[in-house]
Amino acid sequence: MNPRSERKRAWILGVLLVAALFALLLKSAALGPSGLRGASVARGLLAIVGLTPPLEPNHQAIVELRAWRGLCAAGVGGALALAGALVQGMFRNPLASPSLIGVTGGASLGAALGFLILGGVVPTGLALGAAWSALLVPTLAFAGAAATTAVVALVAALHGRTSVTSLLLVGIAVNLCVAGLFAAIQYLTLAEWEVGKAILAWTFGALDDRSAAHAATVWIGLTLAALCVPLVARELDLFRSGEDDAQALGVDTRRVKTIALVASSLAASAAVAAAGQIGFVGLVVPHLLRLTCTSNYRLLLWLSIPAGAVFLLGADVLQRIVLGDGVLQPGVMMSLVGGPFFLFLLLRQRREIAHW
Amino acid sequence: MPTGPRLPSVAGSFDLFHLTFRAPRRAALLGLAALTALCACQREAPGAPPAATRAVRVIPTSASAVDFASALLEPERIVALPEQALEYSVLHTLPASFASTARFDVYLAEPILALGPDLVLADAFQAPETTQRLVQAGVEVFTLPVIGSWRDACAALLQLGERFGRAERARELCAELDARVARLEQRASSGPRPRAVVYSSFGGVGSTAGADTTIGDVLRLAGLDNAAALAGRTGHSDLSFEALIALDPELIVVSAPLKAPPSAQGDLGGASERVLLSSPALAELRAVRERRIVALPAWLFATNSFEIVRAAELLREQVDLLAADSAATPADAGSRAR
C-alpha cells in the first residue's frame, strides 16, 4: 500500500472510531439496572458539565456513575491498546503485551496489599478515613505496577546496555516472582473469605462503581503516555528491521526504549489502577489495526487509542445489552469474546499471516 | 492425646500372604492386591450405612461443623478444631474448655488422620478428594446437608444428634430455637418491616444476598424485608452502586471486620461500611445519608448453622436501637456495630 493511501485510510478509520466512541459513550450512559433512560439521562449528562441544573440527587448520582463507567472503559481500552502497541514495537514482537514488563503482576500485588490492609489482615496502625480507604486499592495497584516495571528496567540495564532480550528475560523472571507472591497471598487469605474473594474478583477487572477519581487516573495516564508517542513513533518503525540496524541509521535506541517503557508502563499502570486486570486489549487491538489498516507505528500508535477505547467500551455495552448488568466482569468478557474474535480474524487473513 | 494415624485394615491380605507362602510370589501379590482393592471398594460403596458404633473422637472441619459439634458434644469428644475456620464459628472466642484442643490448618487427609478420629464432620463444599481419602482410610465422614434456613439447621441438628447418640440434646436445642424464633416473630409482627439490603465490598464491586441465602433468613427472622430478594435476586450476586440506589433500602446490613481496628470515625463496620460512606455516588442514598447502617460480627454475618437465630436476634436489637436513636435525635443516628 502506498504511504499516501495508507495515511488516508488511517484518517478515515480514525474519524470513524472517534464517532463510534461518542455513540458508544452515549449508549453506555443509557444502560443500567435502575431504568433511568432518555431525556433524564441527557439532562443529567448536561448537568455534569454545568449546562443544566442537576436532576434529583439519586438520579444525578446514577447518571454520573454511568458517565464515569463509560469514560473509564474508554480510557482503559485506549491506554491498554497504546501500551500494547508501544511494547510490541519495542520488543519487535507482535505477541508482546504490557503484562510482559510486569505491569499486571505488580498491580495485582499492590491491589492485594490494599485489600489486606482494608480487611485488617495487615495491621498498619493507621486510622484510614473513608475517602482514603476508597483510594487505597487503586493507589497501591498503580504503585505496584510502576515499581515492578522500574525493577524490570533497572535489572535489565545492570550491565549498562538494555537489550530487548534482557528486558524480555528479566520481565519473565520478575513476573514469576510477583506471581508467586500473589499466589502466596491468595493462599494465605483463604480463611479470610471476604478478603480472598475481593482479591480474586480484582483479577477479573471491574468497570462498575467507578468514580471521577478513577476516570481522571486513567485519562491522565493515557494523556501523558500519548504525549510520548511523537518521540518514539518514527524510531519504532526503524526498529522493525532490528535494533542494530536502527542504531546504524542514527536512532538513539536506549532513549527510545526508555521512553517507550515509561510511556507504556504509565498507560498500563493507570488502566489497571482504574479497572483492575483486563487482559487481551493490549495484545489484540494493535493486531486488529495491523490486519485492517496499517503496521506503520506513526499511524498505529495514534489509532490504537480510539480503537482500544471502542473495543473495550463496545464489548462492555454489547454484553450489558445482551446479558444485563453485572453478569460478566470485563476481564472475563474480553477473554470469552476477544479470543474467538481474534481467532476468526487470524483465520480470515491466513494468507497474509503466512508471510509474517 | 492424639493417637497415630489409623492405617487401612489389610489384615486379610497378610493372612493370605502367609497362607500362600509356598505358592509363587506373583500369585500371592495378585491376591494381596485384589483383596486390598476389594476392601477399599467396600469402604467407598455409596449409601453404605454408617457404622453403628458411637463416634467417640470427632473432628469438625468447617465453621458450621464446629457450631454443630460444640452444641451437641462434650468438649472431650472433639479431638481437634480447624484453625482457618475457627474465627467464623461459635468458638471464635475459644472458651476455656477448648483451650487445649488440638488444631489443624487445612482440610487434608494426613493431618486429620494423624489425630485419629472415628468421625469427621465436613461440609459438602469441602475438598471431595480429601473426603475420599479419609473414607478409604476407614474414617466415617458425615457430610452436613446444605443449610438455607434455620429450619434446615434444626433438621441437621436432629440428624447429627441421632448419629452422635445425643438425640435428646438435639431435641432440646431445636425446641429452644423454636421458642427463640417465635419470640423474634412476635417482636417483628408488632412493627413495620423496614426494607434492608445486605452489602459487602472491599473496594471492588460490592455484592448482596437475595432469596435462598442464610443471611436472607437472618433478615427475615429479624423482621426486615430483603429488598434484593423482593427485586427478584436469588443467592449471592454482584450489586453495583446504581443497583443499590435503585433498591433504595431503608437499612444496610454489613459485616464487622474480624481483625481491622476501628477507623478514625469510630465506626466498626469495616471496609464495606467505609465504601458506603466514602462513595460520592451514594451520598444521597437514604440509608447512607441517615447513617442507617448496621454491622453484624463477621462470624454471624457468614454463619451457616443454627446460629442464624442468634444473628437475627442481634440484628433485631441493633435495628431497635437505631429506631430508638432516630426517634430521640433524628440527625444523630449513627451507624452501630457490635
Side-chain angles (χ1 to χ4, degrees):
Chain A
M1 196 184 297
N2 80 55
R4 185 172 289 180
S5 69
E6 191 180 30
R7 191 169 298 128
K8 188 178 169 189
R9 198 170 168 178
W11 267 104
I12 292 170
L13 182 64
V15 170
L16 288 176
L17 284 170
V18 171
L21 181 59
F22 277 108
L24 283 169
L25 282 169
L26 290 176
K27 184 64 190 169
S28 175
L31 292 171
S34 62
L36 198 64
R37 300 276 182 272
S40 301
V41 173
R43 279 207 311 277
L45 288 173
L46 291 172
I48 295 174
V49 286
L51 295 177
T52 56
L55 307 172
E56 176 265 309
N58 277 339
H59 285 176
Q60 185 63 36
I62 286 173
V63 174
E64 287 177 16
L65 278 169
R66 293 181 186 178
W68 303 139
R69 180 193 180 114
L71 285 173
C72 262
V76 167
L80 290 175
L82 176 60
L86 283 165
V87 171
Q88 288 173 11
M90 185 174 62
F91 283 107
R92 302 196 312 279
N93 187 333
L95 290 177
S97 72
S99 61
L100 206 61
I101 49 172
V103 174
T104 317
S108 303
L109 204 58
L113 182 62
F115 289 121
L116 292 179
I117 293 170
L118 282 179
V121 182
V122 172
T124 56
L126 298 171
L128 281 172
W132 277 110
S133 297
L135 290 174
L136 188 68
V137 172
T139 306
L140 289 179
F142 186 88
T148 318
T149 316
V151 169
V152 171
L154 288 173
V155 176
L158 273 183
H159 299 294
R161 183 171 179 268
T162 310
S163 75
V164 166
T165 313
S166 66
L167 259 179
L168 186 68
L169 289 174
V170 172
I172 291 170
V174 170
N175 267 326
L176 282 173
C177 299
V178 169
L181 286 171
F182 185 69
I185 290 175
Q186 280 191 302
Y187 184 72
L188 293 172
T189 50
L190 278 179
E192 312 282 346
W193 77 275
E194 287 271 28
V195 178
K197 191 180 126 190
I199 293 173
L200 182 67
W202 193 86
T203 64
F204 303 140
L207 290 170
D208 286 308
D209 302 348
R210 299 302 91 180
S211 65
H214 290 108
T217 303
V218 68
W219 280 99
I220 289 171
L222 175 57
T223 306
L224 292 175
L227 288 175
C228 299
V229 169
L231 306 176
V232 294
R234 187 183 297 269
E235 288 79 354
L236 286 180
D237 274 329
L238 297 174
F239 255 53
R240 284 156 69 186
S241 56
E243 200 176 332
D244 292 337
D245 287 355
Q247 211 159 9
L249 289 168
V251 174
D252 182 349
T253 55
R254 189 174 176 171
R255 173 184 156 275
V256 172
K257 280 183 285 188
T258 306
I259 293 173
L261 193 66
V262 168
S264 58
S265 71
L266 196 61
S269 304
V272 289
Q277 274 188 32
I278 300 176
F280 226 73
V281 182
L283 176 69
V284 169
V285 171
H287 266 299
L288 292 179
L289 290 171
R290 275 190 210 101
L291 289 170
T292 55
C293 183
T294 178
S295 51
N296 179 341
Y297 277 98
R298 275 167 290 176
L299 302 170
L300 183 77
L301 289 175
W302 289 116
L303 279 176
S304 64
I305 299 172
V310 167
F311 188 74
L312 184 59
L313 183 59
D316 182 48
V317 166
L318 190 66
Q319 76 110 6
R320 283 156 72 203
I321 291 171
V322 176
L323 301 173
D325 274 82
V327 176
L328 283 182
Q329 290 305 309
V332 184
M333 174 188 70
M334 275 295 109
S335 302
L336 288 177
V337 177
F341 180 56
F342 187 42
L343 194 62
F344 163 73
L345 279 174
L346 288 175
L347 289 173
R348 221 183 62 164
Q349 308 263 342
R350 56 188 177 277
R351 275 191 204 150
E352 288 86 336
I353 291 166
H355 297 294
W356 284 4
Chain B
M1 178 86 177
T3 63
R6 284 155 51 108
L7 293 169
S9 167
V10 288
S13 313
F14 282 109
D15 290 343
L16 182 79
F17 184 77
H18 289 299
L19 283 172
T20 56
F21 185 69
R22 288 169 193 277
R25 182 175 290 265
R26 184 177 294 178
L29 287 173
L30 277 173
L32 173 72
L35 206 58
T36 309
L38 187 64
C39 290
C41 287
Q42 280 173 341
R43 278 194 292 271
E44 279 185 88
T53 54
R54 183 173 180 264
V56 178
R57 298 175 60 80
V58 177
I59 296 185
T61 59
S62 67
S64 51
V66 171
D67 288 353
F68 282 106
S70 59
L72 287 169
L73 295 170
E74 306 87 344
E76 59 274 15
R77 283 176 69 185
I78 298 176
V79 181
L81 293 167
E83 191 79 69
Q84 285 195 344
L86 204 57
E87 284 176 318
Y88 288 93
S89 76
V90 70
L91 298 186
H92 62 287
T93 51
L94 204 68
S97 49
F98 287 96
S100 59
T101 308
R103 310 282 188 90
F104 62 96
D105 277 336
V106 279
Y107 184 56
L108 288 174
E110 186 175 333
I112 291 174
L113 285 173
L115 293 158
D118 45 24
L119 190 144
V120 165
L121 198 54
D123 265 304
F125 61 81
Q126 290 184 279
E129 63 277 11
T130 300
T131 302
Q132 194 184 22
R133 293 289 93 77
L134 292 170
V135 171
Q136 280 174 346
V139 176
E140 185 191 345
V141 178
F142 188 103
T143 305
L144 285 166
V146 176
I147 309 290
S149 67
W150 77 274
R151 285 191 191 283
D152 295 340
C154 222
L157 261 177
L158 293 173
Q159 207 183 342
L160 267 174
E162 289 288 335
R163 178 63 196 91
F164 289 154
R166 302 272 291 164
E168 188 55 34
R169 170 77 181 134
R171 279 194 289 274
E172 279 172 19
L173 280 171
C174 276
E176 190 197 321
L177 287 174
D178 267 335
R180 285 161 66 189
V181 168
R183 278 198 295 275
L184 275 168
E185 282 171 349
Q186 195 182 6
R187 230 162 123 182
S189 64
S190 62
R193 294 182 69 89
R195 291 173 72 256
V197 158
V198 174
Y199 187 75
S200 183
S201 172
F202 274 77
V205 179
S207 63
T208 191
D212 301 333
T213 56
T214 47
I215 189 74
D217 202 41
V218 170
L219 260 58
R220 188 186 62 77
L221 289 174
L224 304 171
D225 278 339
N226 185 350
L230 291 175
R233 285 173 179 261
T234 308
H236 293 269
S237 58
D238 284 354
L239 186 73
S240 66
F241 285 162
E242 181 173 346
L244 179 58
I245 293 171
L247 291 176
D248 190 24
E250 292 164 69
L251 188 80
I252 299 176
V253 181
V254 297
S255 164
L258 271 180
K259 292 165 185 158
S263 76
Q265 283 72 32
D267 66 295
L268 291 164
S272 299
E273 183 171 3
R274 275 180 272 162
V275 167
L276 291 169
L277 295 177
S278 66
S279 306
L282 301 179
E284 290 301 321
L285 187 67
R286 179 169 37 160
V288 173
R289 196 179 58 229
E290 296 171 6
R291 295 292 177 94
R292 295 176 64 84
I293 301 170
V294 293
L296 275 179
W299 78 277
L300 285 176
F301 190 85
T303 188
N304 204 23
S305 74
F306 54 88
E307 294 294 351
I308 287 171
V309 177
R310 192 199 300 237
E313 288 167 342
L314 191 57
L315 183 56
R316 185 68 228 181
E317 274 175 33
Q318 295 199 51
V319 171
D320 288 346
L321 274 173
L322 204 57
D325 272 4
S326 302
T329 50
D332 190 34
S335 67
R336 307 201 155 270
R338 192 61 62 101

